[in-house]
Amino acid sequence: MSQSTFLFFLFLLHQHLSAGVTTGAGDDFTFNGFRGANLTLDGTATITSNGLLRLTNNTRQVRGHALHLSQIQFRLPRHNGTVFSFSTTFVFGTIIKDRYIGGNGLAFLISGSDNFSSALGSQFLGLVNPNNNGNSTNHVFAVELDTIFNPDLYDINGNHVGIDVNGVVSNFSVPAGYFSDDTGVFQNLSLIGEQVMQAWVEYDAESMRLNVTLAPVRTAKPRRPLISRSIDLSPVFLDSMFVGFSASSGSYQTAHYVLGWSFKINGTARALDYSLLPSLPRTKSGGRSKFLEVGIPLASAGVVLAIAGVVALVVRRRMKYAELLEDWEKEYGPHRFSYKDLFDATGGFAEENSLGDGGFGRVYRGVLQRTKLDVAVKRVSHQSRQGMKEFIAEIVSLGRLRHRNLVRLLGYCRRKGELLLVYDYMPNGSLDKLLYDRLRPCLDWPTRFKIIKDVASGLLYLHEDWEQMVIHRDIKASNVLLDGEMNGRLGDFGLARLYDHGNDPQTTHIVGTMGYIAPELVRTGRPSAATDVFAFGTFLFEVACGRRAVDWAADIDQLVLEWVLQGWRKGSILETRDAKLGEEFVAEEVDLVLKLGLLCAHPSPAARPSMRRVVEYLEGSSPLPELAATYLSFKTIELQRSKSIEDYMTSYPSSSSVATASSVARAP
Ligand SMILES: *[C@@H]1O[C@H](CO)[C@@H](O)[C@H](O)[C@H]1NC(C)=O
Ligand SMILES: *[C@@H]1O[C@H](CO)[C@@H](O)[C@H](O)[C@H]1NC(C)=O
Ligand SMILES: *[C@@H]1O[C@H](CO)[C@@H](O)[C@H](O)[C@H]1NC(C)=O
Ligand SMILES: *[C@@H]1O[C@H](CO)[C@@H](O)[C@H](O)[C@H]1NC(C)=O
Ligand SMILES: *[C@@H]1O[C@H](CO)[C@@H](O)[C@H](O)[C@H]1NC(C)=O
Ligand SMILES: *[C@@H]1O[C@H](CO)[C@@H](O)[C@H](O)[C@H]1NC(C)=O
Ligand SMILES: *[C@@H]1O[C@H](CO)[C@@H](O)[C@H](O)[C@H]1NC(C)=O
Ligand SMILES: *[C@@H]1O[C@H](CO)[C@@H](O)[C@H](O)[C@H]1NC(C)=O
Ligand SMILES: *[C@@H]1O[C@H](CO)[C@@H](O)[C@H](O)[C@H]1NC(C)=O
């Protein structure tokens, strides 16, 4: 053993033995590691034997909180003044199972209550729930480190830092990163990069300025903060508040860790002693990099190294392109892509080719080298092999669907823990972006009406005109893609099925997207043509009103259905249309679309039209029947809103832009 190795081990030993807690009292405390720390923990939060605070435990759909035991005084009691200045810093890290995507995120929080039993995980980060999101009675302030792009919450991307006031629609957010002291240039940081990072949150009472700064651990705090905003926290804070952390894993196996934390009122939080902080558990990839750092400088026998290098290269190359292929797949030959082809097509799944994140995985743009075909490749994380055979059979069967209003599924590839689905590339992207992106010009009414008819025609084909009936199960604007000629095409088949077969009991409930789920689907769990028609109704509202199915940012009428229904009751249904359209619309068509939406989203499945009727109404070949006022009672809507949606929220992850679903059933 060389001297340097010996010193290294001594160093490790020292690190191991000396990790511990240093706490001050009251409003000034420091935890250099959490061994022996007395915190209030709930959910999956725990302190590991080596002193890590672990908030989520590498399991899907969990959440955890850790709070400082006693409340902190943030202003003089019974004195409605500004809150005191405070400063905090913490070192954190995230370990993910899938190499590419990690569950929802971690937040530093300051809260009036230590009871988070009604808060939901997933995109609600364990802070709020759909009913109280944004409500000023929450008295919750948080700095979120969010790793999932959720357009419903106006997220900017899948890797951002946000300031949350009483809810998870961030008051302000920026991509995660820091400004280099040397160059002043912004450097990206990946919050799920298995890299340990440090954050600083500082508030100055006098100027009411909040600064948030991020940096890789062991680098000096960057001079320029990542966020520096003026914000008055006095209405948000009570006199005494709890401080701590919250994290939720959502649909990905993720573990969120805090390694050290300090906090101080009226002053700068104490610097953390890096030598005392515990280390994150090693992962396979982490282990390899450690070997490279430590092992290679120590190796002296050049020959051995050279041979090892060649072997490693060969092994790595094989690992890099390794895939799973079993005998039963032989018959699917033409639909099976090689991983290497997909890897090459997407430039090695390069970041710049990413088209967006979804609840199930990330989508990449690519060009198949041999055929020069433009494709979109979706990477779906999937650990379970159970049901894979049936699922692939279904994928291949769906791959035979050919219709001008359906996105073609070209094939698939399978690797360990991962499934890749290959689709035709749609140059004009998804409809939700055109509807909601404020930077884009308003989508004109004739195009909207045409896309509605396209989607109706695609769905009719799935329901009635193909050899077997296909229930789509996740119709919504973000699953409608636009080809080069702006034809609307229904995208994405099959993923819900995969999760149905899977062995994860948490995701076997209902698959679909909030605001699109028919009431009977919640009761029975059985998707049908009528539940698709219900979702189609909500889709019509989205297109005509330019509002999301559920708008978390709206103060009232979060459900678009409720918004249209109220307009209809008042006799002014046209006023519910997208304000961006101005006067540029055809009144009869908008009226038809909105009323057809109400008919399709009827609480009783028997009252909803079939897709064939829907197409007839849209073509004008049959007149739309009158709506009976009594059917759509507020009671039903209320029920849908409070019951189904929350049941669903607790059982199913984010309603994200590329989450998809479908189901194949034998035609009756
Ligand atoms: C932690 O704090 C609680 C409440 O003050 C106290 O009852 C408990 O004994 C403390 N535990 C330890 C290990 O200090
Ligand atoms: C994580 O916590 C949940 C809930 O406490 C538990 O059911 C699960 O087994 C834990 N998973 C691991 C990997 O420890
Ligand atoms: C503080 O605010 C509360 C609620 O707004 C009010 O009832 C109370 O009178 C105020 N106290 C003072 C000292 O201004
Ligand atoms: C926490 O709040 C819930 C309601 O949101 C309540 O039922 C429960 O009793 C509370 N728990 C404690 C310990 O106060
Ligand atoms: C906010 O919460 C309070 C108390 O729970 C409730 O009375 C109020 O109606 C809520 N406000 C909104 C806009 O939901
Ligand atoms: C952000 O906070 C400021 C100050 O409290 C407030 O004026 C503003 O409306 C908030 N913005 C959003 C988008 O919530
Ligand atoms: C940071 O990431 C964004 C999005 O992935 C990219 O557009 C930008 O060029 C990156 N910036 C740097 C400095 O790497
Ligand atoms: C926040 O950042 C600004 C700009 O760098 C700086 O002037 C100010 O002193 C900082 N405030 C706090 C509370 O750190
Ligand atoms: C913080 O500063 C304010 C204003 O200077 C002072 O009134 C308050 O007592 C201080 N709080 C603590 C906990 O030191």
Side-chain angles (χ1 to χ4, degrees):
M1 189 187 288
S2 76
Q3 199 183 6
S4 61
T5 328
F6 181 68
L7 287 177
F8 177 74
F9 280 122
L10 270 189
F11 167 72
L12 280 186
L13 194 66
H14 165 78
Q15 218 183 10
H16 194 72
L17 291 178
S18 58
V21 184
T22 333
T23 65
D27 48 26
D28 174 6
F29 57 82
T30 306
F31 298 98
N32 284 303
F34 292 88
R35 193 183 285 164
N38 200 355
L39 301 173
T40 307
L41 304 173
D42 75 15
T44 45
T46 181
I47 292 171
T48 66
S49 56
N50 68 338
L52 287 162
L53 169 56
R54 189 178 68 198
L55 292 156
T56 58
N57 68 353
N58 206 10
T59 305
R60 292 191 184 97
Q61 305 299 354
V62 295
R63 65 196 171 86
H65 298 92
L67 302 175
H68 185 252
L69 206 55
S70 57
Q71 281 171 288
I72 307 281
Q73 197 76 34
F74 273 95
R75 73 177 138 220
L76 301 176
R78 297 175 300 283
H79 185 286
N80 299 345
T82 53
V83 301
F84 299 153
S85 299
F86 63 87
S87 152
T88 191
T89 182
F90 56 94
V91 171
F92 65 98
T94 303
I95 296 220
I96 55 177
K97 187 71 172 261
D98 183 338
R99 277 205 297 143
Y100 304 96
I101 190 158
N104 293 72
L106 178 136
F108 167 74
L109 68 87
I110 302 183
S111 165
S113 159
D114 62 347
N115 182 349
F116 289 95
S117 61
S118 69
L120 298 184
S122 295
Q123 68 264 50
F124 296 98
L125 298 175
L127 297 172
V128 291
N129 64 48
N131 268 355
N132 70 3
N133 185 25
N135 191 322
S136 62
T137 60
N138 292 345
H139 299 289
V140 175
F141 163 81
V143 173
E144 63 167 42
L145 303 160
D146 187 335
T147 52
I148 295 282
F149 172 54
N150 195 316
D152 294 350
L153 300 175
Y154 298 91
D155 279 353
I156 52 168
N157 66 15
N159 185 56
H160 60 269
V161 180
I163 298 175
D164 293 352
V165 174
N166 290 324
V168 284
V169 175
S170 296
N171 187 297
F172 183 73
S173 57
V174 293
Y178 64 103
F179 294 97
S180 157
D181 277 348
D182 298 335
T183 60
V185 173
F186 180 77
Q187 307 281 325
N188 286 329
L189 278 178
S190 167
L191 295 171
I192 54 167
E194 293 191 8
Q195 178 185 20
V196 176
M197 276 169 274
Q198 184 166 5
W200 294 261
V201 178
E202 294 155 307
Y203 185 66
D204 178 55
E206 205 172 328
S207 59
M208 294 194 192
R209 183 160 289 273
L210 177 79
N211 290 351
V212 180
T213 314
L214 208 62
V217 76
R218 286 166 202 269
T219 52
K221 180 185 157 200
R223 279 194 297 274
R224 179 171 167 195
L226 174 64
I227 295 178
S228 183
R229 301 284 290 181
S230 144
I231 181 167
D232 183 4
L233 291 177
S234 44
V236 187
F237 279 31
L238 303 174
D239 295 350
S240 296
M241 303 280 280
F242 290 95
V243 294
F245 301 92
S246 175
S248 66
S249 64
S251 23
Y252 303 95
Q253 285 174 277
T254 308
H256 295 97
Y257 293 93
V258 180
L259 289 68
W261 176 31
S262 73
F263 181 94
K264 188 170 165 57
I265 290 278
N266 282 351
T268 306
R270 276 184 237 199
L272 296 172
D273 183 344
Y274 300 130
S275 70
L276 297 180
L277 301 184
S279 329
L280 283 190
R282 286 185 173 208
T283 59
K284 275 175 238 146
S285 52
R288 192 178 60 215
S289 69
K290 279 266 164 47
F291 168 75
L292 289 178
E293 276 166 31
V294 179
I296 285 187
L298 298 179
S300 51
V303 180
V304 173
L305 197 68
I307 293 171
V310 170
V311 172
L313 269 180
V314 171
V315 170
R316 262 186 73 170
R317 195 184 149 78
R318 287 187 61 165
M319 294 278 285
K320 184 167 161 189
Y321 299 128
E323 43 190 274
L324 284 182
L325 183 61
E326 291 177 67
D327 278 350
W328 53 263
E329 284 179 79
K330 297 238 166 77
E331 59 177 298
Y332 304 135
H335 301 281
R336 170 89 198 200
F337 284 81
S338 84
Y339 182 71
K340 188 173 180 310
D341 284 352
L342 299 182
F343 189 89
D344 294 343
T346 55
F349 295 99
E351 202 46 49
E352 63 263 27
N353 289 331
S354 162
L355 294 171
D357 287 331
F360 294 106
R362 186 166 279 191
V363 186
Y364 294 84
R365 182 187 178 168
V367 180
L368 293 176
Q369 316 255 303
R370 247 168 291 165
T371 54
K372 300 287 169 242
L373 193 63
D374 283 320
V375 293
V377 182
K378 176 175 296 194
R379 301 185 80 138
V380 182
S381 149
H382 190 69
Q383 303 304 333
S384 155
R385 284 168 45 115
Q386 209 184 327
M388 187 51 89
K389 194 168 170 178
E390 295 84 340
F391 177 73
I392 298 290
E394 200 168 291
I395 287 283
V396 171
S397 140
L398 291 171
R400 290 190 289 113
L401 281 167
R402 290 282 183 281
H403 188 273
R404 57 192 292 275
N405 299 121
L406 298 176
V407 179
R408 199 155 54 116
L409 176 64
L410 301 169
Y412 75 100
C413 173
R414 216 155 62 85
R415 305 187 86 203
K416 192 164 182 297
E418 184 176 49
L419 182 70
L420 297 102
L421 299 174
V422 186
Y423 296 93
D424 267 343
Y425 174 67
M426 295 286 122
N428 283 311
S430 65
L431 178 59
D432 65 325
K433 298 222 171 65
L434 295 176
L435 287 175
Y436 306 126
D437 189 337
R438 286 170 209 153
L439 300 178
R440 297 198 201 202
C442 172
L443 192 61
D444 65 43
W445 177 256
T447 310
R448 293 190 199 207
F449 195 50
K450 161 87 167 41
I451 292 169
I452 286 174
K453 290 201 237 176
D454 287 345
V455 173
S457 154
L459 191 53
L460 170 61
Y461 179 76
L462 290 181
H463 281 184
E464 297 184 24
D465 292 344
W466 198 48
E467 60 203 47
Q468 50 183 181
M469 182 164 115
V470 179
I471 311 291
H472 185 283
R473 292 173 63 174
D474 204 11
I475 294 154
K476 57 177 171 179
S478 53
N479 273 345
V480 171
L481 296 146
L482 301 164
D483 65 17
E485 284 92 52
M486 289 298 278
N487 292 309
R489 288 167 174 256
L490 257 177
D492 289 344
F493 304 96
L495 290 180
R497 201 66 176 160
L498 179 65
Y499 282 80
D500 271 3
H501 289 308
N503 60 359
D504 182 351
Q506 308 235 32
T507 52
T508 55
H509 293 72
I510 306 160
V511 177
T513 299
M514 285 180 69
Y516 285 92
I517 299 171
E520 77 275 12
L521 182 54
V522 179
R523 284 196 308 275
T524 65
R526 268 196 297 279
S528 66
T531 59
D532 266 1
V533 170
F534 182 95
F536 180 76
T538 304
F539 163 75
L540 293 180
F541 299 145
E542 265 198 290
V543 179
C545 307
R547 284 174 62 126
R548 296 180 189 284
V550 184
D551 188 347
W552 298 114
D555 294 338
I556 45 160
D557 300 335
Q558 288 187 335
L559 282 181
V560 66
L561 166 59
E562 208 169 333
W563 163 252
V564 175
L565 195 54
Q566 289 193 10
W568 176 68
R569 282 181 189 285
K570 285 189 282 195
S572 55
I573 196 168
L574 276 184
E575 297 308 307
T576 64
R577 72 174 186 276
D578 191 347
K580 288 201 297 291
L581 287 169
E583 297 306 314
E584 305 286 307
F585 65 99
V586 184
E588 298 74 45
E589 289 173 1
V590 176
D591 188 74
L592 169 71
V593 166
L594 289 168
K595 285 183 179 154
L596 178 58
L598 288 177
L599 194 62
C600 291
H602 198 289
S604 156
R608 294 174 208 149
S610 68
M611 280 317 292
R612 193 167 299 285
R613 293 316 290 263
V614 168
V615 168
E616 287 169 13
Y617 298 144
L618 286 170
E619 297 298 343
S621 52
S622 305
L624 192 68
E626 278 301 309
L627 293 162
T630 48
Y631 282 149
L632 292 154
S633 69
F634 276 102
K635 207 152 176 260
T636 322
I637 307 291
E638 222 22 70
L639 198 95
Q640 260 164 252
R641 180 198 174 106
S642 54
K643 182 81 181 84
S644 69
I645 287 182
E646 273 151 53
D647 280 0
Y648 160 74
M649 279 318 300
T650 50
S651 64
Y652 194 72
S654 75
S655 55
S656 55
S657 57
V658 277
T660 54
S662 85
S663 154
V664 175
R666 295 280 149 215

